Amino acid sequence: MRPGPSPVTTTLNPEPREDCPEEKPDAERRELQRSSAIRPWHLVVAGLVLLAGSIASLFVGVSAISPADLLRLSDDQVQVLLISRVPRLVAILLAGTALSVAGLIMMHLARNRFVTPSTAGTAESAGLGILVATMFFGSESIMAKMLIAVVFAILGTLIFLQILKRLSFQDMIVVPLVGIMFGGVITAVTTFFAYRADLLQTLSTWTSGDFSGVLAGRYELLWVAGGLTVIGYLYADRFTVAGMGESFAINLGISYNRVINLGLLLVAVMTAVTVVTVGDIPFLGLIVPNLVCMALGDNLRRVLPITALAGAFVVLICDVIGRIIRFPYEIPVGTVVGVLGSAIFIVLILRTRSKAA
């Protein structure tokens, strides 16, 4: 019997396939990596665009303030800027950054592009935690309420992960749909107890992100989320390795369980802080990381800064749209992002299905 081809030769010299970028020739693969690489000037341009949009947003609102007025601001205009417009802008940037980075981290840890705080029951669990804190610890500080919301967010995420372990399928589309149903159940429970406690009106401020009530002294908690975003960047390489699987991470000397727990803690805290301060902004942590990763790849350390800037910019633009579309009234930014995000979510699902077909 003639021996077959050497398995070593077959492995080391595979035939490149058109549908598999990993098996393309080295020169072509290096060219693809260079074309998707993030250069410093990319971040500079993105930062300048965000800065220009931020400055422009300061002049949008019921109180008329134009750039020309900066040379001769009245006392009332100074108060409007310092008490309302600037704190609102900072809150928008911090919330957009935090939720986008939280979605990116959770997407990597769950190894599913559609598993984010919006589709895993994390935000809904944080809302339930705020309701419990309001009902039973109403006299406590906002920090204590945030800690309760963090605990509920962590518990809700862990329950969702346990549900996934019991499923007999791991389809990329089915998993987030299960998370959305799980979040719907939590929302129903929260609404029921809020109705019994006559807190439905208060509940609406947590379920729909809105920056109209942001004033100086009422948004500073979001700086915690900003600090956690920096920690997420410092641990980006570990999250990337953990997202490749437990055995792979252990072989590289990474404590898999410790990294996973740290990532889930960061996601839960960033989500809870945002929900406590400005309410939930649905689908933001899903659409922004997906669009950025589609354009730049899956290396978390490389795409995290762009994801943070893009998330802040999306929330800023949606907030401005909400302010001018029914001027002088406002549409909550959570509504605008929800409409935009749900449409993009459907497009991403259809795109994934067409590729799998």
Side-chain angles (χ1 to χ4, degrees), residues 56-81:
S57 71
L58 294 175
F59 306 105
V60 179
V62 177
S63 298
I65 301 177
S66 65
D69 293 333
L70 294 178
L71 301 176
R72 45 182 176 78
L73 287 173
S74 65
D75 292 339
D76 291 340
Q77 290 174 327
V78 171
Q79 293 297 318
V80 169
L81 284 176

Side-chain angles (χ1 to χ4, degrees), residues 236-352:
D237 291 336
R238 292 178 175 85
F239 293 148
T240 300
V241 173
M244 296 180 181
E246 182 174 2
S247 59
F248 187 88
I250 292 176
N251 289 336
L252 292 181
I254 299 295
S255 178
Y256 178 79
N257 290 329
R258 184 180 300 173
V259 172
I260 292 293
N261 292 335
L262 175 63
L264 293 179
L265 178 62
L266 291 179
V267 170
V269 174
M270 286 191 283
T271 303
V273 168
T274 306
V275 173
V276 167
T277 309
V278 298
D280 183 26
I281 305 177
F283 293 110
L284 178 67
L286 187 147
I287 59 174
V288 172
N290 270 282
L291 294 178
V292 173
C293 289
M294 286 169 56
L296 302 175
D298 292 327
N299 187 298
L300 197 147
R301 179 178 291 276
R302 184 175 65 176
V303 302
L304 191 147
I306 293 294
T307 301
L309 293 174
F313 185 74
V314 168
V315 176
L316 179 66
I317 294 300
C318 291
D319 181 70
V320 172
I321 292 174
R323 277 188 268 178
I324 64 178
I325 196 171
R326 289 191 62 198
F327 188 86
Y329 304 103
E330 288 191 25
I331 297 177
V333 67
T335 303
V336 180
V337 177
V339 173
L340 176 66
S342 59
I344 296 179
F345 182 39
I346 294 174
V347 172
L348 292 174
I349 290 178
L350 295 178
R351 184 176 182 273
T352 302

Side-chain angles (χ1 to χ4, degrees), residues 13 28 38 46 50 62 77 81 93 96 148-149 161 168 245 281 340:
N13 299 281
E28 186 176 353
I38 299 177
L50 180 61
V62 177
Q77 290 174 327
L81 284 176
L93 299 180
I148 296 175
L161 295 178
S168 58
I281 305 177
L340 176 66

Side-chain angles (χ1 to χ4, degrees), residues 106 120-129 132 146-163 182 186 261 264-265 267-269 272:
M106 194 166 186
T122 305
E124 291 81 0
S125 299
L128 178 59
V132 172
M146 186 206 73
L147 293 176
I148 296 175
V150 168
V151 171
F152 273 78
I154 294 175
L155 291 176
T157 304
L158 292 177
I159 292 174
F160 172 70
L161 295 178
Q162 290 299 318
I163 292 175
F182 174 65
I186 296 176
N261 292 335
L264 293 179
L265 178 62
V267 170
V269 174

